[in-house]
């Protein structure tokens, strides 16, 4: 398991970008339904999704306002068509880990 | 004439009847867009002040959420008053050639397959565009223009060539295929980001069905360019053997057989085609031995084909996003 951050680092309704060596940047989202981790880079362009607005379980890309369902990575707003990669997380003792 | 001001940015004029997007591009502004017909959702903006008419209220480019948040499509918004709009500018997408509206005359129609024809159109003044770009054709009797990619290359004579596939029950293609030489139309061009960029790498063109035109334009420009050791391969995917086209056009290019190759494939498994079988993105990947590191890839065709290519090249093979260029044909 790979440590990402503390749960308290990401307020509910917010997100945080995590840069780890040797892998694409990740975005940690804190939704009412739990903590979710996806790739941070939009599959349409090169925008950072952790800078996007979170709206009803979806994240809107700050660049062309395309959207993805955070839990599944499914595109849910044009121009996004390629699914976003989602990652399995484990929350333990107030810490967020990536399940590898 | 109305004035459009970008919040915190420049102001520009918008001629009567023009859209927010096209007026901005005519001024050389770097406004993001792709399709120009309301489908891709790239040209979203927010209206801060003023009023616009929505030309396509059910445009697929806007989601319910977009509408709820008051977002609009710049390519489908026609100002009815002076406006202030919130839109991002991006220098990387500044139009290399500013689009212009021109009157045109249909000069010739040449059938290529059972449902595809080449249309040659002439305008006064030069045909000024980059290989891979498209034009908006305003045809009489149609409420909205249709996008068609040029198949030739820029020329001072004002010749624009298009290759169009007749779509069953399609209003635009019905109007176009009913036209005879001498007919007048209006041509607004050039548009599109998927144009040939200079690079030291090989060029791979992937065309499906109606996507032949822009790939042919890129191949023609490549053939007209310096005869260096770079190579170009055009992969053309058709459903049946009767739908395959482009071979004669490619074979006519200098360098064909040495620097330039043509690889057609047919996807219908029951067809008697003697060449390669399968979806064109798979045929291309096999032919290249799945080595995509030394090439720029251009593609044009139906959205499922471009989606399959994006998935294969960007998600699976991890090529940098700027090595794959396309405008989806909605
Ligand atoms: C960038 C681009 C390049 C293209 N290049 C080619 C090409 O080289 N060759 C080719 O054969 N096809 C091309 N197409 C497809 C072409 O533009 C048409 O979609 C196709 O010919 C079908 O048109 P139709 O009018 O016959 O069908 P219809 O079903 O009548 O119309 C289909 C298309 O027309 C547009 N449209 C319909 N109603 C409206 C409306 N109210 N407002 C705005 N737009 C509307 C939409 O794009 C829609 O998808 C291209 C499309 C795009 C986006
Ligand atoms: S870069 Fe994310 S929607 Fe375009
Ligand atoms: S929706 Fe406006 S450019 Fe595609």
């Amino acid at each position: 398991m790979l440590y990402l951050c503390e749960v308290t680092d990401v307020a509910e309704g917010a997100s945080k970008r995590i840069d780890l060596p040797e892998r694409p940047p990740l975005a940690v989202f804190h939704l009412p339904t739990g903590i979710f981790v996806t790739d941070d880079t939009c599959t349409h362009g090169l925008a950072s999704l952790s800078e996007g607005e979170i709206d009803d379980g979806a994240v809107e890309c700050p660049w062309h306002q395309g959207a993805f369902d955070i839990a599944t990575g499914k595109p849910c707003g044009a121009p996004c068509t390629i699914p976003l990669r989602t990652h399995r997380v484990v929350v333990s003792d107030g810490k967020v880990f990536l399940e590898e | 004439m109305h004035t459009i001001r970008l919040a915190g940015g420049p102001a520009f004029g918008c001629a009567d009847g023009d859209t927010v997007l096209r007026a901005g591009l005519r001024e050389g502004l770097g406004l993001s867009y792709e399709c120009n017909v309301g489908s891709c959702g790239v040209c979203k903006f927010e209206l801060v002040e003023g009023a616009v008419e929505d030309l396509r209220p059910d445009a697929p480019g806007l989601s319910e959420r977009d509408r709820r948040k008051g977002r609009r499509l710049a390519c489908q918004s026609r100002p009815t008053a002076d406006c202030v709009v919130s839109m991002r500018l991006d220098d990387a997408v500044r139009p290399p050639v500013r689009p212009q509206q021109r009157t045109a005359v249909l000069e010739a129609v040449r059938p290529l397959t059972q449902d595809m024809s080449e249309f040659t159109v002439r305008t006064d003044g030069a045909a000024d565009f980059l290989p891979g770009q498209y034009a908006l054709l305003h045809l009489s009797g149609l409420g909205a223009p249709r996008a068609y990619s040029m198949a030739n290359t820029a020329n001072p004579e004002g010749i624009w060539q298009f290759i169009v596939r007749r779509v069953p029950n399609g209003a635009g293609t019905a109007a176009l295929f009913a036209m005879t030489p001498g007919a007048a139309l209006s041509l607004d061009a050039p548009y599109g980001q998927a144009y040939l960029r200079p690079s030291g790498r090989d060029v791979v063109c992937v065309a499906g069905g109606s996507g032949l035109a822009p790939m042919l334009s890129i191949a023609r420009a490549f053939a007209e360019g310096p005869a260096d050791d770079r190579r170009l391969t055009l992969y053309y995917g058709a459903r049946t053997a009767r739908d395959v086209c482009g071979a004669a056009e490619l074979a006519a290019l200098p360098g064909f057989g040495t620097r330039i190759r043509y690889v057609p494939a047919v996807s219908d498994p029951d067809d008697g085609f003697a060449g390669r079988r399968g979806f064109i993105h798979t045929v291309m990947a096999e032919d290249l031995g799945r080595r995509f590191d030394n090439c720029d890839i251009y593609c044009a065709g139906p959205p499922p084909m471009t989606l399959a290519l994006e998935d294969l090249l960007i998600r699976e093979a991890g090529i940098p996003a700027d090595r794959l260029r396309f405008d989806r044909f909605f």
Side-chain angles (χ1 to χ4, degrees):
Chain A
M1 288 202 302
L2 204 61
Y3 172 76
L4 297 182
C5 62
E6 302 293 312
V7 171
T8 50
D9 288 346
V10 196
E12 189 174 314
S15 58
K16 180 185 171 70
R17 173 179 163 137
I18 307 276
D19 288 287
L20 297 173
E22 314 276 306
R23 42 159 86 230
L26 299 171
V28 178
F29 295 94
H30 192 162
L31 302 183
T33 46
I35 301 272
F36 297 88
V37 177
T38 70
D39 277 359
D40 182 56
T41 309
C42 180
T43 61
H44 175 250
L46 295 175
S48 168
L49 292 172
S50 53
E51 289 166 25
E53 229 173 89
I54 299 174
D55 181 345
D56 197 18
V59 58
E60 293 185 324
C61 176
W63 191 235
H64 308 111
Q65 284 88 38
F68 300 94
D69 182 278
I70 293 170
T72 63
K74 261 179 64 177
C76 59
C80 300
T81 48
I82 304 187
L84 186 66
R85 198 161 274 149
T86 55
H87 302 274
R88 296 223 272 193
V89 281
V90 174
V91 178
S92 163
D93 230 2
K95 297 179 192 305
V96 181
F97 298 91
L98 200 65
E99 192 179 287
E100 284 193 297
Chain B
M1 178 75 123
H2 295 292
T3 300
I4 302 175
R5 194 161 58 75
L6 291 181
F12 52 96
C14 180
D16 291 340
D18 218 356
T19 62
V20 171
L21 174 70
R22 297 192 291 257
L25 296 174
R26 294 187 212 290
E27 291 289 317
L29 296 176
L31 301 178
S32 295
Y33 74 102
E34 195 183 303
C35 71
N36 242 308
V37 294
S39 296
C40 72
V42 173
C43 67
K44 287 173 207 164
F45 77 103
E46 276 157 54
L47 185 63
V48 180
E49 238 177 83
V52 298
E53 178 191 352
D54 186 351
L55 300 177
R56 197 175 179 189
D58 59 347
L62 287 182
S63 66
E64 264 323 300
R65 181 180 21 255
D66 288 322
R67 283 179 226 275
R68 167 161 54 80
K69 293 193 162 174
R71 295 181 186 135
R72 298 163 186 276
L73 296 174
C75 71
Q76 300 303 320
S77 296
R78 180 186 283 168
T80 54
D82 289 349
C83 293
V84 178
V85 300
S86 165
M87 252 174 128
R88 271 167 95 152
L89 284 179
D90 178 3
D91 267 347
V93 299
R94 278 189 28 183
V97 182
R98 296 187 187 193
Q100 279 179 45
Q101 184 95 45
R102 341 162 183 232
T103 56
V105 174
L106 179 64
E107 283 217 324
V109 184
R110 181 169 71 99
L112 299 179
T113 66
Q114 50 175 346
D115 62 358
M116 298 227 304
S117 289
E118 176 195 77
F119 294 81
T120 302
V121 162
R122 186 189 280 270
T123 57
D124 286 337
D128 197 5
F129 61 89
L130 297 176
Q133 288 195 297
Y134 67 91
L136 293 173
L137 300 188
H138 294 260
L139 306 169
S140 65
L142 279 198
R146 296 292 188 268
Y148 294 105
S149 310
M150 279 69 81
N152 61 332
T153 54
N155 60 83
E157 294 82 23
I159 301 289
W160 308 71
Q161 284 185 317
F162 304 96
I163 296 175
V164 180
R165 188 172 150 257
R166 186 204 284 266
V167 173
N169 304 317
T173 48
L176 195 57
F177 278 80
M179 284 169 69
T180 49
L185 64 156
S186 151
L187 181 155
D188 186 1
Y191 292 101
Q193 315 286 342
Y195 51 84
L196 179 64
R197 320 264 168 151
S199 98
R201 291 179 288 271
D202 288 345
V203 177
V204 170
C205 293
V206 187
S210 57
L212 180 63
M215 300 301 104
L216 199 50
S217 177
I218 286 176
R220 285 171 165 157
F222 182 88
E224 287 165 11
D228 49 26
D229 57 3
R230 294 156 62 228
R231 289 164 176 274
L232 177 142
T233 308
L234 193 155
Y235 297 91
Y236 183 71
R239 213 169 53 74
T240 72
R242 287 203 302 167
D243 302 309
V244 172
C245 64
E249 287 72 16
L250 263 273
L253 298 178
F256 183 75
T258 51
R259 304 173 63 220
I260 299 181
R261 284 169 70 219
Y262 173 71
V263 179
V266 157
S267 61
D268 185 343
D270 301 324
D271 191 77
F273 187 60
R276 303 189 199 212
R277 291 308 180 82
F279 286 118
I280 196 62
H281 61 282
T282 322
V283 169
M284 179 271 295
E286 277 165 18
D287 188 61
L288 293 176
R290 302 187 81 83
R291 296 186 41 155
F292 310 114
D293 37 302
N294 191 34
C295 55
D296 292 321
I297 303 176
Y298 296 85
C299 78
M305 186 197 84
T306 37
L307 186 57
L309 275 163
E310 276 187 285
D311 212 44
L312 170 78
L313 296 168
I314 311 245
R315 241 168 86 99
E316 278 179 41
I319 70 163
D322 63 355
R323 296 271 181 91
L324 174 66
R325 295 195 184 270
F326 57 84
D327 287 316
R328 283 166 286 185
F329 279 22
F330 290 102

